[in-house]
Amino acid sequence: QLQFVESGGGLVQPGGSLRLSCTAAGFPLDNYAIGWYRQAPEKARERVACIYMRGDRATYADSVKDRFTISRNNAVSTIYLQMNSLKPEDTAVYHCAPTACGILPDRTLLEFDMWGQGTQVTVSS
């Protein structure tokens, strides 16, 4: 059964850091570009970062550029999101999903319906 599993979230003070992890049961993560997405209360889900299949390129939303870093370790089929200099506006539930990094609008946002439970990130003092 296909299941995306996100972990690593938590409560952190502004300026702090967290590292999120994404794995998937029943899905070959290694063969796909993967995006990290977030959804804040009463806001639309947005893509914040995307990494190509081989891990040699990545894209970022302007709101997280220079603060977040996406990476992958295909040997253990895991995608990471290192989040530094966190701000209260980063508070959201974070999900991962396959996507096409270079295609906009993001089709995963439009069509994907197998979201995992996500991991909650709360940035607050």
Side-chain angles (χ1 to χ4, degrees):
Q1 181 178 355
L2 175 60
Q3 184 177 13
F4 290 88
V5 180
E6 300 91 352
S7 62
L11 173 63
V12 63
Q13 292 186 342
S17 299
L18 285 172
R19 188 175 83 153
L20 308 184
S21 298
C22 163
T23 59
F27 185 85
L29 273 179
D30 307 355
N31 296 340
Y32 290 84
I34 300 294
W36 276 102
Y37 298 79
R38 68 184 181 188
Q39 187 167 23
E42 300 182 0
K43 291 190 176 180
R45 182 178 281 122
E46 62 173 340
R47 192 176 84 188
V48 297
C50 188
I51 189 165
Y52 286 77
M53 183 179 69
R54 294 179 180 176
D56 54 343
R57 287 186 293 165
T59 64
Y60 297 93
D62 288 343
S63 59
V64 306
K65 201 170 291 184
D66 298 326
R67 298 189 299 121
F68 289 12
T69 302
I70 189 171
S71 62
R72 67 192 302 159
N73 185 341
N74 286 344
V76 293
S77 297
T78 303
I79 313 297
Y80 304 100
L81 186 67
Q82 177 67 43
M83 307 187 297
N84 299 328
S85 302
L86 283 161
K87 304 176 181 180
E89 51 264 43
D90 296 318
T91 295
V93 178
Y94 286 70
H95 292 92
C96 60
T99 189
C101 295
I103 296 176
L104 294 175
D106 185 293
R107 294 188 63 179
T108 295
L109 286 172
L110 299 173
E111 301 171 358
F112 193 70
D113 63 358
M114 291 184 289
W115 300 100
Q117 291 201 341
T119 187
Q120 175 71 48
V121 171
T122 303
V123 185
S124 174
S125 55

